[in-house]
């Protein structure tokens, strides 16, 4: 609502905007004819008793608390981390300060814990009936409506994948580490090549021994994996089947931190791009808490169902940090300092299937709808390991070989998890808070279990490493307040403490570099956080 104070869905300005300006602008007259007026009930908040107000008649509206937990709509209960509820921004919304690549907080029309609060869905897919102040310009708008399917204006656009229902991987044995056979999940098979990921975390090691600006190419962890680890884990025959593979080291998709040169490796780690591939059996959102990404070492999961943190090879929010996966399965895109000692190592590699004498088929590992992890050896019954407290049995017959068909990653196209991940409710105080990941300072060793963001990100309507017109109007926002803005080292006019700055690039034409050259925009907020993006001028 544009004014602070008591408000209901009936009286809020967002409802007026949706059924007025938005309705008139977003749809043609023919499309408007297909949109049905809907009678909406607006119940009180069941938890706090806050009044929901009168019923309304709307063309366009927001989902209610009841809608957001309706199993018939494909959603889970309120406390769950539901990928089907996660919302991402359009490019237009990105121009208003939202992250196009990340999830956002979305308003619901139901009241929150107080009469000036509205409920919402957070960036991790959880519903908050506590809500937040409706006067805040923070919530994303995700409209809902009813349509007449017989209208010629309505066109089918296919199906959308919302969640992984169940995932099953083939597992193989290759090499020996810590006195036991190393077990690997088969993420992908293409022709004669299998892409393998260690089933478990094989140890803890720093990404780099010294805290410094470092990319994967020059990290000590990469050197160790392709040196000591490779030589000590695999026999000569096994090493002959491990392919030297070119791996892309993309920039951090959220912060734009440079990933460095592509590398030629025998052994690597997964990247931020890999960890959101449904084809590999992972959810498509970074912030989604998901059992398929949880891993542990020999100690097993903790009493709350938590695994261990493990490294990704991609950079974090700064050049002295690297991204990772938390013990609850969400991706820490801001990362950890590279010299952090508790990062788990979960190697990955490409292997030639024609070297079958070096590879032992060990069965399958499955993450089911309820989050149970089950190992099944060839020819034997499945063994459920809900807590991961024991390592998978690896005494599989040596005569069976992995199939050359693509491994089974049963990603349901319109289905969602229907049962809570075990003990997930107990994690509510340990998982990131309800705002999108905004940590600009990588976690230190003392912060191993603390995933709550400490700083708010600087938001741009100008995408990193994009080419734009000289007439482009640039908008920069940071709720912590802006301290300085510099374009190619030259200060841009700013009132210190302002939370938003808008200017045309043409106003600072003399600061800009020639066409085809990279320009650099550096922003420092009042908390001292430094953020930079690069762009070119057409």
């Amino acid at each position: 609502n544009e004014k602070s104070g008591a408000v209901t869905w009936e009286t809020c300005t967002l409802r007026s905007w949706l059924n007025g300006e938005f309705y008139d602008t977003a749809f043609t007259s023919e499309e408007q004819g297909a949109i049905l007026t809907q009678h909406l009930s607006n119940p009180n908040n069941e938890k706090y008793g806050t009044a929901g107000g009168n019923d309304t008649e709307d063309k366009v509206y927001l989902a209610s608390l009841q809608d957001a937990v309706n199993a018939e709509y494909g959603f889970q209960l309120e406390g769950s981390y539901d990928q089907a509820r996660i919302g991402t921004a359009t490019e237009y919304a990105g121009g208003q300060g939202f992250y196009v690549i990340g999830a956002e907080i979305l308003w619901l029309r139901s009241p929150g814990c107080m009469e000036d609060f509205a409920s919402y869905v957070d960036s991790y897919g959880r519903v908050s009936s506590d809500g937040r102040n409706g006067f805040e310009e923070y919530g994303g708008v995700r409209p809902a409506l009813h349509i007449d399917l017989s209208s010629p204006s309505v066109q089918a656009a296919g199906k959308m994948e919302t969640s992984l229902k169940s995932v099953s991987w083939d597992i193989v044995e290759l090499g020996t580490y810590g006195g036991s056979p190393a077990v690997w999940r088969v993420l992908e098979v293409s022709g004669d090549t299998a892409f393998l990921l260690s089933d478990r975390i094989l140890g803890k090691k720093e990404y780099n021994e010294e805290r410094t600006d470092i990319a994967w190419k020059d990290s000590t962890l990469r050197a160790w994996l392709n040196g000591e680890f490779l030589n000590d884990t695999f026999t000569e025959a096994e090493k002959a089947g491990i392919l030297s593979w070119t791996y892309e080291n993309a920039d951090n998709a959220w912060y734009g931190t440079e990933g460095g040169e592509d590398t030629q490796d025998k052994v690597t780690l997964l990247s931020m791009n890999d960890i959101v591939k449904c084809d590999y059996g992972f959810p498509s959102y970074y912030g989604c808490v998901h059992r398929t990404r949880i891993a542990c070492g020999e100690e097993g999961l903790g009493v709350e169902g938590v695994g261990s943190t493990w490294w990704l090879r991609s950079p974090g929010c700064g050049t002295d940090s690297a991204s990772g996966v938390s013990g609850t399965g969400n991706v820490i895109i801001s990362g950890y300092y590279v010299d952090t000692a508790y990062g788990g190592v979960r190697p990955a590699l490409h292997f030639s299937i024609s070297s079958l004498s070096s590879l032992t088929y060990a069965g399958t590992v499955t993450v089911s709808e309820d989050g149970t992890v089950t190992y099944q050896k060839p020819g034997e019954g499945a063994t459920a390991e809900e807590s991961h407290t024991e390592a998978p049995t690896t005494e599989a017959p040596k005569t069976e070989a992995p199939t050359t068909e693509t491994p089974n990653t049963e990603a349901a196209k319109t289905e969602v998890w229907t049962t809570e991940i075990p003990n997930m409710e107990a994690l509510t105080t340990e998982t990131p808070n309800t705002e999108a990941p905004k940590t600009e300072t990588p976690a230190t060793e003392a912060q191993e279990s603390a995933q709550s963001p400490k700083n708010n990100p600087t938001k741009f309507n100008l995408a990193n490493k994009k080419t734009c017109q000289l007439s482009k109007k640039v908008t920069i926002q940071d709720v912590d307040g802006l301290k300085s803005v510099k374009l190619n080292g030259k200060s841009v006019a700013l009132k210190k403490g302002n939370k938003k700055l808008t200017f045309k690039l043409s106003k600072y034409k003399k600061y800009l570099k020639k066409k085809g050259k990279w320009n650099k925009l550096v922003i420092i907020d009042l908390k001292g956080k430094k953020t930079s993006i690069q762009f070119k001028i057409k």
Side-chain angles (χ1 to χ4, degrees), residues 69 159 248 283 324:
V69 296
K159 292 185 177 181
E248 180 186 7

Side-chain angles (χ1 to χ4, degrees), residues 359-375:
L359 208 61
T360 302
Y361 181 66
T364 61
V365 56
T366 301
V367 177
S368 62
E369 290 179 83
D370 63 0
T372 301
V373 179
T374 305
Y375 289 88

Side-chain angles (χ1 to χ4, degrees), residues 4 10 15 17 62 74 121 130 149 167 196 225 289 291 305 353 381 387 397 470 488 497:
S4 180
E10 179 192 20
R15 174 176 176 249
W17 177 80
L62 300 181
V121 175
D130 292 0
L149 292 175
V167 183
L196 310 180
L225 282 171
V289 176
R291 191 64 177 269
I353 299 174
S387 63
L470 185 63
N488 294 327

